[in-house]
């Protein structure tokens, strides 16, 4: 990709943020890579201001080719990222999982991502993906328009709980509610599978406090920061300031997410939005790197270089 002055400046801004915290980089658990024709359909949906975006104008800041997007994340200093992809109909999950396995093979800094859908054979598709090395799953209740507590997924959730594989799940009702969004369906899943490592996307926006309740009740529930606290989201679904102490107390289970490339503002704005919460550098270090490093078994700090003898 061309190292144009704007890109160099933006990458420099991001790197200064994490360097100032003494981090080796960032880990972003919510980035989107998927087959190009699928991603272009996603972008077209955002462009059309459809009901799933709440009819809000949503320009795509990083509308670039796949290789350019991955290279830009590396320039930002993102040490590990995901390929959040998701089906909207039966028969699609297994195909997406095959693509994602290939993407992970050719993209070593991407955490091998898979997905699932409530359909016959769902548990077999999930087992295949786990055996192929999947390290994280994506579930999108809003786009998929399914109940996560559907019996067709029960065995799959159980398998993932036993395997300890995290699932990033979009289950909040933002930016527009769906038939099965909100805390209720996910609470039913967790009641059956309390050890399931669910990562609630977008902090559960806009039902923030309800999903904080679930994280406080279940020790394996985590939340990602995707789009939360940004100027864009605060206009639509402001985070209640009374809940900030609860967010601070859950500091070891909050993970950085961005929604890159599908964000309507520069990447660094998400980082600055977290910083201006005033929850401290230790909280930021956990959120931006260390919590995800522990979850995925990555080095929290790279080994120090041996000193050169004098």
């Amino acid at each position: 990709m061309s190292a144009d002055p704007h890109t160099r400046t933006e990458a420099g801004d991001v790197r200064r943020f994490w360097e100032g915290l003494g981090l080796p980089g960032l880990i972003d658990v919510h980035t989107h890579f998927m087959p190009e024709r699928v991603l272009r359909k996603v972008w077209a949906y955002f462009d059309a201001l459809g009901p799933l975006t709440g009819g809000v104008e949503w320009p795509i800041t990083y509308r670039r080719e796949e290789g350019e997007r991955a290279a830009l994340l590396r320039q930002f200093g993102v040490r590990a990222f995901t390929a959040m992809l998701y089906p909207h109909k039966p028969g699609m999950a297994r195909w997406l999982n095959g693509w994602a396995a290939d993407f992970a093979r050719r993209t070593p800094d991407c955490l091998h991502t898979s997905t699932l859908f409530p359909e016959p054979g769902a548990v077999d598709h999930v087992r295949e993906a786990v055996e192929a090395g999947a390290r994280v799953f994506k579930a999108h209740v809003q786009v998929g328009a399914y109940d996560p507590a559907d019996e067709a997924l029960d065995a799959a959730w159980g398998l993932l709980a036993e395997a300890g594989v995290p699932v990033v799940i979009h289950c909040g009702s933002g930016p527009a509610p769906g038939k099965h969004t909100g805390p209720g369906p996910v609470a039913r899943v967790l009641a059956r599978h309390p050890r399931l490592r669910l990562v609630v996307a977008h902090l559960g926006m806009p039902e923030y406090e309800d999903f904080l309740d679930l994280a406080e009740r279940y020790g394996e529930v985590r939340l990602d920061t995707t789009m939360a606290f940004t100027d864009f989201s605060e206009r639509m679904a402001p985070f209640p300031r009374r809940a900030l102490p609860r967010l601070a107390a859950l500091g070891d289970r909050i993970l950085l997410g961005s929604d890159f490339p599908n964000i309507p503002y520069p990447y660094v704005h998400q980082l600055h939005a977290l910083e201006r919460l005033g929850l401290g550098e230790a909280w930021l270090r956990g959120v931006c790197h260390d919590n995800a490093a522990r979850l995925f078994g990555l080095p929290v700090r790279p080994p120090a270089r041996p000193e050169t003898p004098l």
Side-chain angles (χ1 to χ4, degrees):
M1 65 180 288
S2 59
D4 60 84
H6 176 76
T7 296
R8 286 197 301 270
T9 298
E10 185 177 16
D13 289 342
V14 175
R15 297 181 78 91
R16 275 188 291 276
F17 174 86
W18 55 259
E19 286 172 351
L21 293 171
L23 291 173
L26 303 170
I27 299 176
D28 190 336
V29 303
H30 197 133
T31 62
H32 292 284
F33 288 86
M34 56 187 72
E36 288 294 285
R37 62 189 177 94
V38 176
L39 185 59
R40 277 165 172 68
K41 289 181 179 178
V42 172
W43 287 347
Y45 200 95
F46 279 103
D47 291 342
L49 306 181
L52 294 185
T53 66
V56 175
E57 187 174 347
W58 198 304
I60 305 296
T61 299
Y62 299 100
R63 197 186 301 255
R64 306 185 185 192
E65 295 300 316
E66 178 184 286
E68 291 184 294
R69 297 195 306 274
L72 184 54
L73 285 175
R74 295 179 189 119
Q75 286 191 24
F76 289 165
V78 179
R79 299 180 63 213
F81 52 90
T82 58
M84 294 281 104
L85 70 181
Y86 43 85
H88 61 272
K89 59 184 179 181
M92 193 175 178
R94 198 175 192 183
W95 169 67
L96 288 174
N97 289 346
W99 181 92
D102 179 68
F103 181 74
R105 280 191 291 270
R106 55 191 166 87
T107 315
D109 39 357
C110 177
L111 297 165
H112 181 172
T113 309
S114 293
T115 189
L116 72 171
F117 194 82
E119 59 187 320
V123 67
D124 298 320
H125 303 161
V126 168
R127 183 180 294 107
E128 288 173 8
V130 171
E131 290 175 351
R135 300 179 71 184
V136 60
F137 275 68
K138 167 68 172 182
H140 206 313
V141 172
Q142 181 203 37
V143 170
Y146 61 81
D147 184 347
D150 190 314
E151 288 186 3
L153 285 175
D154 196 57
W157 295 133
L159 189 157
L160 291 168
E162 284 295 318
V165 178
V167 181
V168 176
I169 181 168
H170 184 136
C171 50
S173 299
K179 184 177 179 181
H180 302 291
T181 58
V186 169
R188 291 195 289 276
V189 172
L190 289 167
R192 297 178 201 160
H193 306 285
R195 293 188 296 135
L196 183 61
R197 291 181 165 179
L198 283 186
V199 181
V200 176
H202 306 276
L203 288 177
M205 183 187 307
E207 295 104 341
Y208 301 108
E209 292 178 282
D210 293 321
F211 285 104
L212 286 172
D213 288 344
L214 288 177
E216 290 164 349
R217 191 180 314 157
Y218 295 99
E220 291 293 351
V221 171
R222 295 160 174 84
L223 303 102
D224 83 32
T225 66
T226 303
M227 297 190 74
F229 312 111
T230 62
D231 295 346
F232 181 84
S233 294
E234 285 290 288
R235 287 193 295 269
M236 296 188 298
F239 185 89
R241 288 311 184 253
R242 64 177 176 269
L244 282 177
R246 301 174 69 191
L247 195 70
L250 287 167
D252 61 344
R253 286 191 278 138
I254 309 299
L255 309 175
L256 174 67
S258 68
D259 237 352
F260 176 94
N262 306 334
I263 46 177
Y265 44 73
Y267 188 94
V268 74
H269 178 55
Q270 175 75 80
L271 304 176
H272 290 160
L274 296 173
E275 183 178 42
R276 69 190 182 191
L277 295 175
L279 297 181
E281 290 191 355
W283 186 85
L284 284 171
R285 280 191 288 271
V287 170
C288 293
H289 182 274
D290 294 353
N291 298 340
R294 283 189 286 267
L295 180 62
F296 292 106
L298 305 173
V300 174
R301 297 287 183 275
R305 295 178 182 176
E307 293 185 10
T308 303
L310 295 174

